[in-house]
Amino acid sequence: MKDKSKNNSVPYFDMQFITSSISTTLVLLLLGLVVFFVLAAHNLSIYVRENINFSVLISDDMKEADILKLQKKWDKEPFVKQTEYISKKQALKEQTEAMGTDPEEFLGYNPFTASIEIKLHSDYANSDSIAKIEKMIRKNTNIQEVLYQRELIDLVNENIRNISLVLLALAVVLTLISFALINNTIRLAIYSKRFLIHTMKLVGASWSFIRRPFLRRNIWSGVLAGIMADAILMGTAYWLVSYEPELIRVITPEVMLLVSASVLVFGVVITFMCAYLSINKYLRMKASTLYYI
């Protein structure tokens, strides 16, 4: 009875365990990269959309104090992420630096008007929403013009939509491939123990008793593989952000936390499911069929 309860026939840590863990790590690493690219692409799309701005040109008849009041009013709108007031003098200075000449010198007056640059939250950075915002802004009689690149906005949104669909399809395909690869690795490991499983059945061991060490072993393998894959992904992300600090806007701590959690959960769930299905397959087999598979 003592020997049966220990069930030492299935060692936890051996060369087969290490090989299986390394193989699972490589597959989880691939799966983690897919999750990372999906989440990073989402952050990148938000970053790009929120950096699309449009200019509201203000009439010269409007006093600067009133313009600043209007800016504060717009700052409270739900669609506004950020606004910037550019005075006539500042606009002239910026254009002079850009063109290399001062237009005021040969025109005799400042040809530029004051403006407010508006950056929108990503949910409102599309042509339909901007059209409604433009209509609302134009109700003020001191607004001369609302300038934005409609074609650029449509192109950005279309590209983001297409990339999202491609990444989603890639994620589904690679998830299935990952499951198949891990399943094959575990099936081969359990295949080598098929006669041991049959022997345990002959001595009266229950199916749950036989399954238990195999499931524990593969769960630990999944945990170890998930930790190793997470360490590689975290290290790579840290190196990328150290090399280019601006990437922190895309590779956020939240993204890496979700990637790490996803890899660990996938590692445990997939190894458990594959081990459970493989063990049940051999538990159902008769002794005569074990020699012909």
Side-chain angles (χ1 to χ4, degrees):
M1 185 69 181
K2 185 178 180 181
D3 293 337
K4 182 179 178 181
S5 62
K6 283 184 177 181
N7 200 8
N8 287 330
S9 316
V10 186
Y12 271 26
F13 300 98
D14 54 12
M15 186 56 65
Q16 192 179 63
F17 177 88
I18 295 171
T19 304
S20 176
S21 297
I22 293 174
S23 301
T24 306
T25 298
L26 296 175
V27 177
L28 289 178
L29 187 61
L30 179 64
L31 200 58
L33 285 173
V34 174
V35 176
F36 169 78
F37 283 126
V38 170
L39 295 176
H42 175 69
N43 280 353
L44 181 61
S45 69
I46 293 175
Y47 176 75
V48 171
R49 285 171 174 166
E50 289 185 346
N51 278 276
I52 296 175
N53 59 354
F54 61 95
S55 302
V56 181
L57 304 184
I58 311 295
S59 171
D60 292 339
D61 298 332
M62 195 173 186
K63 297 179 180 179
E64 185 169 354
D66 294 330
I67 297 175
L68 294 175
K69 287 182 181 178
L70 182 62
Q71 182 186 11
K72 288 182 179 180
K73 178 184 176 183
W74 286 346
D75 281 334
K76 297 177 181 178
E77 295 290 343
F79 55 81
V80 174
K81 180 192 177 186
Q82 181 184 347
T83 61
E84 181 185 2
Y85 168 60
I86 301 176
S87 64
K88 288 172 63 69
K89 291 182 179 179
Q90 184 180 347
L92 176 63
K93 181 181 178 182
E94 290 178 356
Q95 291 300 320
T96 299
E97 291 176 354
M99 296 186 298
T101 57
D102 187 353
E104 192 175 21
E105 290 183 357
F106 56 88
L107 291 176
Y109 66 93
N110 185 350
F112 302 105
T113 60
S115 65
I116 297 178
E117 301 288 326
I118 299 178
K119 289 185 178 181
L120 303 174
H121 287 293
S122 59
D123 293 339
Y124 296 91
N126 56 76
S127 297
D128 293 337
S129 297
I130 291 177
K132 294 177 182 178
I133 294 169
E134 179 183 4
K135 186 177 179 181
M136 183 270 290
I137 290 174
R138 285 184 179 275
K139 290 180 179 179
N140 191 316
T141 55
N142 289 307
I143 303 302
Q144 282 188 347
E145 192 64 60
V146 178
L147 303 176
Y148 64 93
Q149 296 177 306
R150 181 185 295 272
E151 293 182 357
L152 175 62
I153 293 171
D154 291 339
L155 182 62
V156 167
N157 284 306
E158 183 181 355
N159 287 338
I160 289 173
R161 183 168 54 253
N162 292 337
I163 292 172
S164 299
L165 291 174
V166 170
L167 285 176
L168 182 61
L170 184 63
V172 172
V173 171
L174 288 180
T175 300
L176 295 175
I177 293 174
S178 300
F179 182 85
L181 291 174
I182 294 175
N183 185 48
N184 286 337
T185 301
I186 292 174
R187 283 181 64 185
L188 286 173
I190 295 176
Y191 172 81
S192 63
K193 305 290 185 181
R194 65 192 187 282
F195 292 109
L196 174 62
I197 293 172
H198 180 66
T199 302
M200 294 173 72
K201 284 170 58 180
L202 291 177
V203 298
S206 65
W207 283 24
S208 60
F209 180 83
I210 298 172
R211 274 196 299 257
R212 194 176 302 125
F214 288 99
L215 294 178
R216 285 178 180 172
R217 173 189 171 94
N218 282 284
I219 287 173
W220 277 115
S221 177
V223 170
L224 179 61
I227 291 173
M228 289 192 294
D230 282 342
I232 295 171
L233 291 169
M234 284 288 193
T236 304
Y238 179 80
W239 178 80
L240 287 172
V241 173
S242 300
Y243 182 78
E244 182 55 62
E246 279 296 314
L247 287 175
I248 194 63
R249 297 175 180 270
V250 177
I251 309 175
T252 61
E254 291 79 10
V255 165
M256 294 314 301
L257 184 62
L258 285 172
V259 170
S260 299
S262 300
V263 168
L264 196 57
V265 170
F266 275 127
V268 173
V269 171
I270 293 178
T271 50
F272 175 84
M273 288 178 59
C274 294
Y276 188 87
L277 295 174
S278 297
I279 294 168
N280 283 353
K281 174 185 175 182
Y282 293 111
L283 286 173
R284 294 190 187 98
M285 284 186 178
K286 295 181 180 180
S288 57
T289 58
L290 294 176
Y291 296 93
Y292 303 104
I293 58 172

